[in-house]
Structures are given as C-alpha cells and as structure tokens.
Amino acid sequence: MSENANPESPVSQPEIPEDESSGSLRREAYEQIIAALMTRQIRTGRLVSQREIARTTGCSLSSIREALKWLEAENIVRLIPKRGVEFHEVTRKEVAESYELRMMIELKAIEAFALQVDPARIEAFRQETRALIDEQKGRTVGPDHTVRRIETDHALHREIVAALGNDLIAEMHRRNETIMLLARLSLPPALLETGPALEEHMAILDCLATGDSAGAASALESHLASARDRALQALVV
C-alpha cells in the first residue's frame, strides 16, 4: 500500500491492547497526533503527508498509519489517495448544533446518573480532575496532559449519557465528540492549559458527590453553555 493510500476504515474505534507492542505504538501515535493538533504543530484544513506527521510526532510511519485508521473512523481525518491527510475543520454551525445536541442528551441523563453512580466513581473523577487542575496551576503540564484531559472529559460525559441505558443515544453522543474535539483546536493554546473547563467539571462533580442532582444539572448546563460560547468566539466567522 502506498503511503497515502486510503485504508479500509473500521466501523467503530478499535480496541487497542495496551500490553502488545503494536497496540502500544498505535496508542502512542494517536496521542502524539492529538497533542500535535492541540499545540498547532499540525493544522486543520490542510493537507499533510503521513511522513510529515511522523516527523512532527517522532513516531514511526507504520504506527502513524495505524493511528490514522483510528482517527479516520472518528471522522477527525480524511485520507486522500496520492494527495495526503486532511484534518477536518469544523464550522460555527457544526459547533452550535453539536452543543445543542449535547444539551438535549446530557441534561436528560444527569438526573439518572446522579441516582445510579457509585460514589467511589465520582471520587475517582474528582481526584483526576483535581490533579489536572493542579498541573495547570503549577505550570507542570506534561506532554500527556492534553490527552489525559480529553480522556477524563470524555469518560465523565459518556458515563452521564450511559445512565439513560439507550445504546443508540450513547452512540450518537460518542460520534458527536469528534466535533467537540475539533472545536477545541480553535481555542487559544493558553486557554487549553489554563482555561476554566476543569473547574466547571469540578462544580458538577462536587454537586454529585453531595447528592445534589439539581445542582449538578445546573452546573452541567452552565458548563456546556460556556464551552459552546468559548468555541464559537474562537472560530472565525
């Protein structure tokens, strides 16, 4: 297969066995590509070669190819035969509609989540979120900070939605995360490292920890509205 050939895309994100060398390399390549996007080393809306991505991330070409299959399945990239890789660039309309969908789903789910969730799980989320906040405040943000932040964010919101017990809604929400991820790329880099999103998450989690489902719903609605406004303000009209 040539460097820029379009590989067959899996229907959903493949499970990656962390204890196998090939899986670990693919995981690392995926994380490095996301980090390069977040630090603007790779720009959306532009064609780049797989070799250029490998040079930028310091990963092997084979692991980049495997990671790109994963990213293509998530609609983050488009692999164009004989031309290169194009990273999707979201529009203001996509962002506005995406957050509208999230509001509809997550505000319906948060009450059920508050009733079902194990308090130990909430405490685990609080500890991880606090660790990320402390890294930001202490300016000790490491190379994996952005990926951990995204993973923690996705895990919390996915688990809230899962409380509905509706697989179709959960899948719709998961696919919508692609727009959320790409919308973050329009934000100023400093906002990603020092912005208020993590504190907004802590407000939700603190309410959940005390059994205040109404407060959690209010904090969630405020968080989603603020995140939407930040993304829209950063996007070029």
Side-chain angles (χ1 to χ4, degrees), residues 220-236:
L220 174 61
E221 183 174 16
S222 177
H223 166 57
L224 291 175
S226 296
R228 176 200 62 207
D229 292 345
R230 287 191 292 268
L232 290 175
Q233 289 168 9
L235 284 170
V236 177

Side-chain angles (χ1 to χ4, degrees), residues 203-221:
I204 300 168
L205 293 165
D206 286 345
C207 289
L208 290 169
T210 60
D212 182 5
S213 60
S218 178
L220 174 61
E221 183 174 16

Side-chain angles (χ1 to χ4, degrees), residues 130 132-141 193-194 199:
R130 176 55 60 191
L132 291 166
I133 291 172
D134 289 345
E135 288 173 16
Q136 288 185 345
K137 289 183 176 180
R139 299 188 181 279
T140 56
V141 175
E193 295 183 359
T194 62
E199 295 285 1

Side-chain angles (χ1 to χ4, degrees), residues 22-213:
S22 60
S24 297
L25 289 173
R26 176 168 50 183
R27 172 69 175 184
E28 180 183 357
Y30 176 90
E31 292 181 351
Q32 290 299 323
I33 291 172
I34 294 299
L37 281 166
M38 290 297 180
T39 57
R40 293 2 183 231
Q41 292 176 285
I42 296 175
R43 300 275 183 171
T44 58
R46 299 180 184 178
L47 278 173
V48 295
S49 71
Q50 294 182 11
R51 291 189 184 280
E52 183 178 350
I53 297 171
R55 285 195 299 270
T56 299
T57 60
C59 298
S60 68
L61 185 57
S62 61
S63 64
I64 289 297
R65 285 172 175 158
E66 291 302 309
L68 287 172
K69 294 178 185 178
W70 192 5
L71 291 164
E72 187 183 41
E74 294 184 335
N75 198 35
I76 294 176
V77 304
R78 185 164 65 105
L79 304 182
I80 306 174
K82 299 181 180 179
R83 294 188 60 196
V85 180
E86 182 179 55
F87 287 82
H88 181 63
E89 189 170 28
V90 297
T91 65
R92 288 175 61 87
K93 184 174 186 295
E94 285 178 308
V95 170
E97 290 177 348
S98 180
Y99 274 102
E100 182 178 7
L101 178 62
R102 287 189 69 182
M103 287 273 195
M104 294 171 62
I105 294 174
E106 294 187 35
L107 292 179
K108 179 178 177 61
I110 187 69
E111 184 174 352
F113 180 70
L115 292 173
Q116 299 173 20
V117 66
D118 185 341
R121 184 60 176 147
I122 295 299
E123 184 56 29
F125 272 125
R126 292 179 77 248
Q127 290 181 12
E128 176 61 18
T129 303
R130 176 55 60 191
L132 291 166
I133 291 172
D134 289 345
E135 288 173 16
Q136 288 185 345
K137 289 183 176 180
R139 299 188 181 279
T140 56
V141 175
D144 68 335
H145 177 91
T146 297
V147 172
R148 284 170 45 227
R149 178 172 176 158
I150 292 170
E151 289 178 339
T152 301
D153 177 278
H154 283 183
L156 174 60
H157 289 284
R158 284 180 182 181
E159 290 186 28
I160 289 172
V161 173
L164 292 173
N166 187 312
D167 291 342
L168 184 60
I169 291 176
E171 177 63 14
M172 183 186 304
H173 183 271
R174 192 197 71 77
R175 291 187 178 278
N176 191 50
E177 288 174 353
T178 297
I179 296 177
M180 298 296 97
L181 174 62
L182 295 172
R184 287 186 177 98
L185 304 183
S186 62
L187 298 174
L191 190 58
L192 291 170
E193 295 183 359
T194 62
L198 290 172
E199 295 285 1
E200 292 166 5
H201 268 206
M202 280 300 297
I204 300 168
L205 293 165
D206 286 345
C207 289
L208 290 169
T210 60
D212 182 5
S213 60

